[in-house]
Amino acid sequence: MKTRPYPAWISRLFILLVATLTFTGFMQMPLAKRYALTTVPGMAWTGDFFLVHKIHYILGAALLFLVALVAANWLRSWKNELALTGLGLARVTVVGGLVLSGLLRVYRNLPGVTLDPVYILTIEWAHLILVMILGVLALVALVRKTSAYAVRK
């Protein structure tokens, strides 16, 4: 792959965060016990919903920090040097939707917040579908060998 015009640690951290968020997100569903992942040595924690939920929130906060850092850098200087690729624009849009739906999920989980079940289902499904779309876009980028979000102008 070609060298990215932005620091490589950003890409590596983003991939790590998205991968672990995907894992902890799916483990909040009863998948760990159903598929005996909890019986694998060292993986019993995956069956503890509240622990996995807290880890997911911590990772989500780290992703928010990374997104804010990249957005600030983009607005400050990168927009003059870089242009988003088509695939990059699609992935930025999906990540923005994930951040928004994730924040709505956090709001929904606050004590004293009651939402209509239709809104709850919409938020949940939107979040899940956006995660899947992000995965498909990552696979498309791998197949095309064009994984960079941005290129030099």
Side-chain angles (χ1 to χ4, degrees), residues 126-140:
H127 199 67
L128 180 60
I129 289 168
L130 287 167
V131 166
M132 291 181 181
I133 292 171
L134 187 63
V136 168
L137 290 172
L139 289 174
V140 168

Side-chain angles (χ1 to χ4, degrees), residues 2-123:
K2 297 177 184 171
T3 305
R4 289 178 173 81
Y6 44 87
W9 68 266
I10 290 175
S11 296
R12 290 187 187 112
L13 182 58
F14 179 76
I15 291 167
L16 177 67
L17 285 172
V18 169
T20 53
L21 277 163
T22 301
F23 180 75
T24 57
F26 279 112
M27 289 305 106
Q28 288 181 56
M29 297 185 266
L31 298 177
K33 289 181 183 174
R34 180 179 297 150
Y35 296 109
L37 183 60
T38 56
T39 63
V40 175
M43 296 300 285
W45 64 272
T46 59
D48 182 350
F49 171 81
F50 293 106
L51 175 63
V52 173
H53 187 69
K54 287 176 185 174
I55 293 170
H56 194 73
Y57 271 23
I58 291 167
L59 293 169
L63 181 66
L64 284 174
F65 174 76
L66 183 63
V67 166
L69 179 69
V70 169
N73 278 321
W74 182 269
L75 293 171
R76 202 178 90 235
S77 63
W78 291 351
K79 69 179 177 181
N80 300 325
E81 306 168 13
L82 305 175
L84 284 175
T85 62
L87 207 48
L89 181 60
R91 290 186 288 177
V92 165
T93 303
V94 171
V95 169
L98 277 169
V99 167
L100 179 63
S101 63
L103 290 172
L104 288 171
R105 291 189 77 222
V106 170
Y107 172 72
R108 175 190 66 93
N109 288 330
L110 291 174
V113 173
T114 305
L115 296 177
D116 186 81
V118 172
Y119 294 141
I120 293 172
L121 279 174
T122 302
I123 293 166

